[in-house]
Amino acid sequence: MVKKRRLSSSSDEFVASDGSANDTYQPVPNSSRKRQGPKKLKPSSSRRRATRTAGKDDASDTPGNIDPGVAYQALPHGVSTHAISDAKPLRKSLLEWYANVHETRGMPWRKPYDPALGPEERSQRAYEVWISEIMLQQTQVATVIPYYNAWMTKFPTIRHLAASDIDTVNGLWKGLGYYSRAARLLSGAKKVVDELGGRLPNNAKDMESKIPGVGRYSAGAICSIAYNECVPVLDGNVHRLLSRVLALHAPPKAKQSLDILWAGATSMVEGSDRPGDLNQALIELGSTVCKVRDPSCTTCPLRQWCRAHTCQNANKITSGANDVPDIEELCSLCEPLPYPANVTSFPMKAERKKAREELDIVNVIEWRPSGNSDDRWFLLIRRPEGGLLAGLHEFPTEPDVPMTITPTAMSVIPAALLSSLLIKPPRSGVERGHSSDERSTISVPSVGPSENDKSRIVKIRPAGDVVHVFSHIRKTYRVQWVLLEGGDSSPPPLVTPNLEAKGESLPKSRSKASKASKQSNSRGKNNSMPHASSATVSQVLAQAS
């Protein structure tokens, strides 16, 4: 039976797993292993998804991930190929290279280790490295540098950060994405100040167990750099680098693969008197030299020990000690390589699951006292504190609606949302506008009785789609502009039901909303509907016009 798998188009799919693998790699028993020989696949004119054959008769000699247009070969090698027996010469060469490049990219958080620092100064270094490491998760160095500098200006110590609030932190984080990282930094800082005496833990074990959002990789990076602890790191760059040094061609996210790579990273750092520099050198080498598509092998300080480089030149995988391993020592984890193999054949391409499709209806709800008024207010609500985009503000949104939703179905959404957000929901349907765009207004059913003190929906205008791809979801945000008018000289008051009982995101309370700033053309009023910033207003108007 054939099982299909989709492969990533890039080998740079591993993200630093801040968690440890439980399974350890063991060779399969001799009785259950067959020796593999080169196998060449017949090219096909039509390309299809990669396959894995699970049949009894040919399971041992069929490549696990194949492209019909590419020939594959199985290169027998021993399990010792995937281990570093003597790391000293590698460390020496790597640190000599790093001494000449460590300042090249101008990273403000990268400083030499100073053994003369006291506990307080080392904790401060740990804070600086912690901030940089969290910012660098799935973000490029050039992007992070200005954010880091601004952050350290605003929050020079962990106590300054702990005294702040999520809105201030998110404002400083704006543009970096993955806002949950900022929230975890804030909660971690508060915990350090409240429970740990204002100092980050000085060892990786406590760092990982006590600080929110810090896993095995981050703990290793922080503690090796700030405290000179001999603990390894394995981010995406080091994963790729060690996969090539060790010629590991196995599923990159499998626990057995990660065990081997963590063991390799541990071998590199154990016994080093400069573990922080060594870990930073590994990361720098993977990022700038051992790149995904165009590795600069001629300038690599580890080329002499790189088994992927040997495989590229000699078409064989070897540890250097025994070119033809005993059958008892054969590696059973690696899968067949493309033929001919080269450095970029490693690591093995990761499987990528197709992101699920979701459609959200975003309602940009604007209120005006009257049709010709310049006093304009926009309704924002805060998302739940957990999950996607946790704790951020958004326009009222109906999430995950059917992809086939009709305009008529969309037109009733604003009224339904407002019935739970406003103390006095809007009273009547939409009136037809005068735009030349036939889609500019949509009639909706009336909501509630027609008291004179209630506002009413007078327009619903489509504003287009915005597509954003998260790591696991492809979101389409279908935006519609909703115009409320009348009711009073101040915006409609908001309801504030119990958040936990309702289990949903709610608007700010009257007391908080009254502090929100109004756009420049508004006149000072103290109301319960929060104002968007002028930047947000201009973006919304641009979409709605």
Side-chain angles (χ1 to χ4, degrees):
M1 179 178 179
V2 175
K3 177 182 176 182
K4 295 185 176 181
R5 300 198 304 174
R6 181 184 178 188
L7 297 183
S8 163
S9 59
S10 168
S11 62
D12 192 26
E13 291 298 325
F14 174 79
V15 176
S17 71
D18 270 344
S20 59
N22 297 319
D23 297 341
T24 56
Y25 171 52
Q26 298 290 340
V28 298
N30 184 24
S31 59
S32 64
R33 188 193 301 115
K34 295 182 182 180
R35 188 158 184 158
Q36 295 181 340
K39 184 175 181 68
K40 203 164 187 177
L41 301 179
K42 183 180 294 185
S44 171
S45 58
S46 61
R47 299 177 68 86
R48 57 183 173 84
R49 287 185 178 180
T51 60
R52 174 183 292 278
T53 301
K56 293 182 179 180
D57 296 334
D58 57 355
S60 63
D61 60 359
T62 300
N65 297 302
I66 61 173
D67 183 329
V70 177
Y72 282 79
Q73 59 183 344
L75 300 179
H77 57 279
V79 293
S80 60
T81 301
H82 308 315
I84 298 174
S85 58
D86 183 9
K88 289 181 180 179
L90 284 77
R91 282 201 292 260
K92 181 177 183 294
S93 181
L94 183 60
L95 289 172
E96 288 175 351
W97 170 84
Y98 182 66
N100 296 318
V101 302
H102 72 282
E103 295 181 348
T104 302
R105 293 199 283 171
M107 303 181 206
W109 54 85
R110 184 171 280 180
K111 303 173 183 177
Y113 174 72
D114 184 357
L117 294 179
E120 193 69 35
E121 291 81 7
R122 292 189 187 190
S123 178
Q124 174 62 22
R125 277 293 292 136
Y127 169 68
E128 295 167 3
V129 178
W130 176 42
I131 299 302
S132 69
E133 286 298 330
I134 301 304
M135 285 186 171
L136 285 166
Q137 291 174 2
Q138 301 187 23
T139 310
Q140 295 181 349
V141 168
T143 301
V144 166
I145 289 175
Y147 281 92
Y148 175 85
N149 289 333
W151 183 283
M152 297 308 297
T153 299
K154 181 72 174 179
F155 308 123
T157 70
I158 199 167
R159 294 184 182 277
H160 287 91
L161 174 57
S164 188
D165 58 82
I166 189 61
D167 290 330
T168 302
V169 169
N170 280 341
L172 205 59
W173 196 270
K174 184 179 179 181
L176 271 180
Y178 299 97
Y179 283 83
S180 59
R181 297 181 294 170
R184 285 194 292 268
L185 283 174
L186 179 60
S187 62
K190 290 181 180 296
K191 182 175 183 180
V192 168
V193 171
D194 294 342
E195 303 176 19
L196 303 178
R199 294 180 184 174
L200 283 163
N202 63 0
N203 64 87
K205 182 179 179 181
D206 288 344
M207 185 75 73
E208 183 177 354
S209 64
K210 295 180 179 181
I211 305 303
V214 173
R216 185 177 181 182
Y217 161 74
S218 297
I222 296 166
C223 291
S224 64
I225 296 170
Y227 299 119
N228 212 41
E229 185 182 7
C230 289
V231 284
V233 297
L234 188 69
D235 71 343
N237 292 310
V238 180
H239 183 287
R240 180 174 59 258
L241 172 65
L242 291 181
S243 293
R244 291 171 177 174
V245 169
L246 302 176
L248 182 65
H249 191 259
K253 296 181 182 180
K255 290 183 178 180
Q256 288 182 315
S257 300
L258 294 176
D259 281 337
I260 290 173
L261 297 174
W262 275 111
T266 301
S267 297
M268 288 294 294
V269 79
E270 275 186 342
S272 172
D273 57 356
R274 297 167 56 193
D277 284 347
L278 189 69
N279 281 336
Q280 290 180 95
L282 287 169
I283 295 169
E284 186 74 6
L285 185 64
S287 176
T288 62
V289 175
C290 195
K291 295 179 288 188
V292 177
R293 296 176 183 84
D294 298 306
S296 304
C297 295
T298 56
T299 63
C300 179
L302 301 184
R303 180 180 59 173
Q304 178 181 344
W305 301 275
C306 181
R307 289 157 196 172
H309 188 262
T310 301
C311 175
Q312 174 177 274
N313 294 332
N315 196 37
K316 63 180 179 181
I317 298 176
T318 175
S319 63
N322 187 2
D323 288 354
V324 182
D326 293 335
I327 192 168
E328 291 82 4
E329 207 248 346
L330 277 175
C331 172
S332 61
L333 181 61
C334 287
E335 300 205 15
L337 284 158
Y339 180 84
N342 55 50
V343 170
T344 57
S345 300
F346 303 89
M348 180 179 163
K349 290 180 174 61
E351 295 179 53
R352 174 181 287 176
K353 294 182 179 179
K354 183 179 180 181
R356 70 176 184 268
E357 299 272 352
E358 289 188 2
L359 173 64
D360 291 4
I361 307 302
V362 179
N363 302 274
V364 180
I365 300 177
E366 176 185 349
W367 174 84
R368 302 177 189 174
S370 61
N372 57 359
S373 173
D374 290 333
D375 193 11
R376 306 172 65 187
W377 293 75
F378 291 84
L379 176 60
L380 297 174
I381 61 175
R382 189 189 292 274
R383 291 180 60 85
E385 293 303 322
L388 191 67
L389 303 176
L392 299 183
H393 286 91
E394 68 175 2
F395 295 110
T397 299
E398 184 72 14
D400 198 14
V401 303
M403 300 296 289
T404 56
I405 189 170
T406 63
T408 301
M410 286 178 56
S411 70
V412 302
I413 290 175
L417 289 173
L418 290 169
S419 67
S420 62
L421 294 172
L422 302 183
I423 292 176
K424 298 177 179 180
R427 61 182 173 86
S428 66
V430 169
E431 293 180 353
R432 181 156 298 279
H434 302 288
S435 170
S436 59
D437 185 353
E438 290 299 326
R439 303 175 304 153
S440 63
T441 56
I442 304 174
S443 296
V444 298
S446 60
V447 178
S450 299
E451 294 95 344
N452 292 330
D453 61 347
K454 286 190 175 183
S455 60
R456 61 192 181 92
I457 300 174
V458 297
K459 284 184 181 179
I460 300 177
R461 175 180 295 173
D465 289 355
V466 177
V467 177
H468 186 83
V469 180
F470 297 90
S471 58
H472 58 298
I473 307 173
R474 187 178 189 273
K475 281 272 194 185
T476 299
Y477 295 99
R478 186 154 295 162
V479 185
Q480 55 183 9
W481 173 51
V482 181
L483 179 60
L484 292 176
E485 284 185 2
D488 201 347
S489 59
S490 60
L494 306 176
V495 298
T496 54
N498 182 275
L499 180 60
E500 293 182 356
K502 298 287 287 185
E504 59 188 11
S505 58
L506 297 170
K508 288 185 175 181
S509 65
R510 174 182 291 269
S511 60
K512 289 185 178 181
S514 65
K515 301 177 184 179
S517 62
K518 301 179 69 177
Q519 74 178 91
S520 58
N521 62 356
S522 300
R523 298 297 176 261
K525 288 185 175 68
N526 190 4
N527 298 292
S528 59
M529 184 178 284
H531 245 273
S533 67
S534 58
T536 304
V537 170
S538 65
Q539 291 169 2
V540 170
L541 292 178
Q543 292 177 343
S545 61

